[in-house]
Each structure stands twice: as structure tokens, then as C-alpha cells.
Amino acid sequence: MSLGRTRRGQRPIDYWPGFVDALSTLVLAIVFLLSVFVLAQFFLSQQVTDKDQALSRLNRQISELTDLLALERVGRKSADDNVALLSDTLKQTQAERDRLQGLVDSSAAGAAAAGGQAAALSKDLEAQRQLAARAANQVDILNQQIAAMRRQLAALEDALSASEARDKESQARIADLGSRLNVALAQKVQELARYRSDFFGRLRQVLGNRPDVRIVGDRFVFQSEVLFDPGAAGVNPAGQAELDRLATALIALDKEIPGDIPWIMRVDGHTDKRPLSGSGQFKTNWDLSAARAIAVVQYLVSKGVPPQRLAATGFGEYQPLELGDSEEAYKRNRRIELKLTER
């Protein structure tokens, strides 16, 4: 009798509140994990977007390849870190899923009345499995993208090496061509110097030994009085006779010099330093010197000299032969110079 009274006096144990608390805690944990996973997925998508932008910049800016390669390596390391972080998160999620599954299994015997809640929990677990599967797929895709980026970087490095090799080869060719060009130019200059010497010798024979026609360096010099009247720019009759002989020599020279030598006869006009009055046809010595040089060129062209072999230049009083103020210095500085040179 006392035993029966003792059993009737004991209250039955209520497991339901504890089970509800456990399920609530479990649901909150799942929500928290889902939030963490969504944030992780968002950051992962951001990293993937940044990676695509970095790759696009790399393709557009080959000239800055070295800097972009460094940036790409930094981005790749960050992506690897994110993959490791996602892998750890996935492992933690799977562990939590296994723990929750264990709790559900251990509570299955005493949770017959809570079948609806267990079904909802199973749905949450299934959703968690799907999220974990999608995360794993994204990790695989990211790994594939990283592998593709590595292949592209290797290809770009190979292309850069090939470009550097081609650049070195081109520089060697340019140096070789430059040396050949210098040799060819030197030969042409020597050949032109030989023709100049022959031409000046022939011109000296044609014009005779006159004190007002002389050779100064590499120029044949006519005193202005030989060709022009004082203050005038038209060739006088005596000057025309001299220029006729010069034209004959130039026409013969044009036939002798090979066509691949770009020679010209430059006609330079010079005056003395005394200024003009300014009231005549010419305002300055520069005008007078240029007009006289042009007049000589035009007369030579009229006598059959090819115009492409002539050039006229006026120097005014700014290239004197003598710096004195004597009449002899003024006379020497008033001159027409002929120079056989390259174009």
C-alpha cells in the first residue's frame, strides 16, 4: 500500500518544454548559419566580379602587363583565401548538419507528438543540404576560373617573353641597317665630293683665272659685281655670259652624276653690312640677297638646268667673309656662292 501511494504521489516528467527550447535553439542556429552563408556567398560573388574586372583590364592594358600580373597574383591569393574560408564554412555547416541530424534521431522516439515540427526541421535540413551543394558547385566553378586565369597568365607571360625576344631581334636588325646606311651615306658623300672637285675644276677651266671668281672651301664664289649692277637684282649681260658657261657645266654634270645621288646646286646670296636706304625696290639686305639668288636660279633654269637640282637662299649681311669696314671687305662680302651639296 505504501508503494502504491508513493507511485501515485510522484508527478510525471514533462519533456516537452525542453524539447521546444532545443528546437528553437536549433532553428536560430540554422538561421544564423544561413545568414553567414548568404554573406559568404555575397562576398564570394564580389570577389569573382573583381576578378573578372581585373582580367578585363589585363586584356586591355598589355603595355602594363607587369603591374597587372602583380595585381592578378594578389587577387588570386585573395580568391584562394576565400576558397579556403568557404571550405571551412562548408565543413562547419556539414558538422552542424550532422549534429542536428543526431539530435533529431535521438529525439525521434520521444517526439511522436511533434511530427509536424520534425517534418519542418527535415525541410530545413534539406534546404541546408541544397545550399551546401550550391556552395560546393560555386567553389568548383571558382577553382575552374582560377585555373583558367592561371593558364591565361602563363600564356601572357609566354607572349611577353616572345615579344621581348622579337624586340631584341628588331633592335639588332636596326643597328645593322643603321651601320649599313652610314656606310652607304659615307660612300655617297665621298662620291659627291669627287664630282664636286671635278665640277669645280671644270668650272675653273671654263671661267678662267679671274680675281673676282674664286673657290672658298667647298664653294665657288662670284663677286656680285660680276653678275649684277649695284643695288639691282637682275643679271646683267656680262653676268649672263658667265652663267651661260655655268649652265653648260651643270647640264653636263647632271648627266654624269648617277641618279641615286640626291645632289643640288645651292645658290647663296650675300651682301655687305651697310643698310639699304629703304626707299628703293628692296627694303633690307636680306631682300636683296634672296632676290639675287633667285634671279641666278631662274636664269639657269631658263638655260636648261633641271629646276629640281637648284635651290636659292638669301643670307643678307649675316655671313660675311671679312669683318672689317674697308671697301675691300665690303666688296668681298657682296657675293654669290655656289655649293654642290646633298638635298
Side-chain angles (χ1 to χ4, degrees):
M1 294 296 291
S2 62
L3 181 58
R5 287 193 300 272
T6 301
R7 289 180 177 177
R8 286 193 299 270
Q10 291 179 348
R11 298 180 59 186
I13 298 175
D14 189 3
Y15 294 99
W16 179 250
F19 182 73
V20 171
D21 292 339
L23 288 179
S24 300
T25 303
L26 180 61
V27 171
L28 291 175
I30 291 172
V31 172
F32 175 76
L33 290 176
L34 288 175
S35 300
V36 170
F37 185 78
V38 169
L39 289 175
Q41 186 177 12
F42 172 75
F43 287 121
L44 178 61
S45 64
Q46 288 295 108
Q47 291 295 329
V48 172
T49 302
D50 293 340
K51 187 66 68 177
D52 291 337
Q53 293 176 353
L55 182 59
S56 176
R57 288 194 301 271
L58 183 62
N59 291 329
R60 290 194 307 268
Q61 301 175 356
I62 294 298
S63 62
E64 301 176 357
L65 185 60
T66 303
D67 295 336
L68 290 177
L69 286 174
L71 293 175
E72 190 61 29
R73 292 190 184 98
V74 173
R76 183 177 62 190
K77 183 177 182 302
S78 176
D80 291 336
D81 294 338
N82 289 332
V83 170
L85 179 61
L86 284 175
S87 298
D88 294 338
T89 304
L90 181 60
K91 291 178 181 178
Q92 293 175 3
T93 304
Q94 290 175 347
E96 185 65 20
R97 183 193 62 190
D98 294 337
R99 188 180 68 81
L100 293 175
Q101 184 65 43
L103 290 175
V104 171
D105 293 339
S106 63
S107 302
Q117 294 181 357
L121 184 60
S122 297
K123 292 179 181 180
D124 291 339
L125 288 174
E126 183 62 26
Q128 184 68 21
R129 291 191 187 97
Q130 293 177 359
L131 288 175
R134 285 198 295 269
N137 291 334
Q138 290 178 354
V139 169
D140 292 337
I141 293 172
L142 185 58
N143 287 330
Q144 293 175 3
Q145 292 176 348
I146 291 174
M149 289 179 184
R150 288 174 179 171
R151 290 193 297 269
Q152 291 177 356
L153 287 175
L156 289 174
E157 289 176 352
D158 293 340
L160 180 60
S161 299
S163 177
E164 291 176 350
R166 288 194 300 270
D167 183 59
K168 291 180 181 178
E169 183 179 357
S170 299
Q171 290 178 355
R173 290 180 179 177
I174 290 172
D176 182 56
L177 289 175
S179 62
R180 293 181 181 178
L181 180 60
N182 290 334
V183 171
L185 289 176
Q187 293 175 350
K188 295 299 181 183
V189 170
Q190 292 176 358
E191 189 173 359
L192 183 61
R194 179 173 60 84
Y195 282 110
R196 181 190 300 121
S197 178
D198 294 343
F199 172 72
F200 280 176
R202 185 183 308 169
L203 196 60
R204 171 59 72 186
Q205 293 177 357
V206 170
L207 297 178
N209 294 321
R210 299 180 51 172
D212 50 4
V213 179
R214 63 190 185 279
I215 296 177
V216 178
D218 60 348
R219 295 171 174 83
F220 208 91
V221 180
F222 286 86
Q223 295 303 135
S224 294
E225 290 76 7
V226 176
L227 304 176
F228 304 100
D229 295 332
V235 181
N236 58 32
Q240 291 177 1
E242 301 295 337
L243 292 181
D244 288 343
R245 300 188 185 98
L246 175 62
T248 302
L250 281 176
I251 293 172
L253 180 68
D254 184 53
K255 296 177 180 178
E256 294 176 5
I257 297 181
D260 58 345
I261 298 180
W263 69 275
I264 60 170
M265 175 63 70
R266 201 179 76 187
V267 180
D268 299 336
H270 299 267
T271 66
D272 59 39
K273 66 180 181 180
R274 292 177 296 184
L276 300 179
S277 63
S279 59
Q281 179 182 359
F282 303 105
K283 303 300 181 183
T284 65
N285 285 324
W286 228 333
D287 296 336
L288 178 59
S289 64
R292 286 179 170 178
I294 293 172
V296 171
V297 166
Q298 290 175 340
Y299 187 82
L300 292 176
V301 171
S302 68
K303 293 302 179 178
V305 179
Q308 65 271 18
R309 297 301 186 186
L310 296 170
T313 307
F315 288 93
E317 71 269 25
Y318 300 107
Q319 301 289 334
L321 291 179
E322 294 189 16
L323 299 178
D325 293 330
S326 65
E327 188 62 35
E328 183 64 25
Y330 292 154
K331 182 178 180 181
R332 286 175 58 82
N333 290 332
R334 295 191 302 270
R335 65 197 187 278
I336 294 294
E337 293 184 354
L338 305 177
K339 181 178 181 182
L340 188 64
T341 183
E342 292 182 284
R343 184 169 58 246

